[in-house]
Amino acid sequence: MAEVKYSIDDFHPEGVIVDAGEFPTNPKALRWLDECERIVCCDGAADEFLARGYEPWRIVGDCDSMSEEVRKRYAAIIRRNPDQETNDQTKAVEYLSDKGVTRIAIIGATGRREDHTLGNISLLMEYQKRGIEARIYTDYGVFIPVEDNCEIRCAPGSQVSIFNFGAEGMRSEGLAYPIRDFTSWWQGTLNEATGEKFRIFARGHYLLFLNYPVED
């Protein structure tokens, strides 16, 4: 199987989605708002996003969470999707994908509601299966969905967690603790890179969380 190489800094998204969780403060997450033109705001995040001085490219969702003022003022860029079988994050992902944008950074996906946080993170695996390369950036690190073998370039001592979504034959090189075919999410947490890269060998899907390197 081919080996895919990743790092925190090698990702160049074509679009950004702003969820209605806690708005990030870390520059590593906020950088995408300056570097991308296609910024899609989920409707529940629209009021706060605008209040912080940002302007979205589109506002997408079922439009049940935004103020009437925003609804009227930004009517031209609102794209309503009433589907109740998907959440607003997925509506935004589908909107971008329909426009040919399949490399996506997501911010504001965590915090405030733990149930929404878990749902938003787990959906990365569904997007990956549709051919969409999406990552969630938080104030502390990045969630990266992976299929099969990978190599991750990182700073020595980087904190790593691995969540298995059905992958088999899991093993690693360059991590402090050996990995296996985990059956519970907690089992792959709190690992650590011993050098400037580590490798994971597997068949199937799993999710990595890589903490940002500590700045000197």
Side-chain angles (χ1 to χ4, degrees), residues 157-171:
S158 292
Q159 302 298 295
V160 182
S161 290
I162 303 158
F163 304 93
N164 191 13
F165 282 76
E168 298 179 338
M170 299 189 77
R171 62 184 179 88

Side-chain angles (χ1 to χ4, degrees), residues 114-134:
E114 285 81 3
D115 51 348
H116 287 182
T117 292
L118 286 172
N120 289 338
I121 293 169
S122 66
L123 279 164
L124 288 177
M125 310 311 296
E126 300 300 319
Y127 307 150
Q128 183 190 47
K129 293 173 183 178
R130 302 183 200 178
I132 297 166
E133 189 179 357

Side-chain angles (χ1 to χ4, degrees), residues 25-212:
T25 58
N26 192 309
K28 291 184 180 295
L30 292 174
R31 61 180 286 195
W32 307 124
L33 299 180
D34 296 323
E35 296 184 12
C36 290
E37 294 182 2
R38 295 184 180 92
I39 299 174
V40 176
C41 196
C42 295
D43 75 68
D47 285 77
E48 181 177 0
F49 188 70
L50 291 162
R52 289 176 177 271
Y54 295 102
E55 289 287 329
W57 174 63
R58 295 288 187 271
I59 300 172
V60 174
D62 53 18
C63 299
D64 64 348
S65 303
M66 71 178 70
S67 67
E68 187 63 26
E69 178 184 354
V70 168
R71 196 191 315 274
K72 291 179 178 178
R73 183 177 177 185
Y74 291 90
I77 63 169
I78 292 174
R79 300 295 182 267
R80 183 174 181 272
N81 182 339
D83 184 5
Q84 294 302 305
E85 297 300 317
T86 60
N87 68 359
D88 285 341
Q89 175 181 284
T90 298
K91 293 180 176 71
V93 167
E94 291 174 345
Y95 179 83
L96 282 171
S97 179
D98 288 344
K99 299 296 182 183
V101 177
T102 58
R103 194 178 306 115
I104 302 168
I106 302 173
I107 65 173
T110 61
R112 293 186 179 169
R113 286 280 299 268
E114 285 81 3
D115 51 348
H116 287 182
T117 292
L118 286 172
N120 289 338
I121 293 169
S122 66
L123 279 164
L124 288 177
M125 310 311 296
E126 300 300 319
Y127 307 150
Q128 183 190 47
K129 293 173 183 178
R130 302 183 200 178
I132 297 166
E133 189 179 357
R135 296 183 180 184
I136 286 177
Y137 288 82
T138 76
D139 275 338
Y140 308 101
V142 56
F143 286 95
I144 305 174
V146 183
E147 181 179 8
D148 299 336
N149 301 336
C150 74
E151 177 184 290
I152 306 292
R153 297 181 298 279
C154 61
S158 292
Q159 302 298 295
V160 182
S161 290
I162 303 158
F163 304 93
N164 191 13
F165 282 76
E168 298 179 338
M170 299 189 77
R171 62 184 179 88
S172 62
E173 293 178 356
L175 291 177
Y177 309 108
I179 69 172
R180 61 186 188 278
D181 295 357
F182 303 125
T183 57
S184 296
W185 281 9
W186 68 268
Q187 292 173 320
T189 60
L190 306 178
N191 216 318
E192 182 177 307
T194 58
E196 295 182 347
K197 66 180 180 181
F198 63 89
R199 302 170 76 187
I200 294 177
F201 305 92
R203 300 182 305 276
H205 298 270
Y206 52 99
L207 182 68
L208 298 180
F209 181 75
L210 187 62
N211 277 85
Y212 301 136

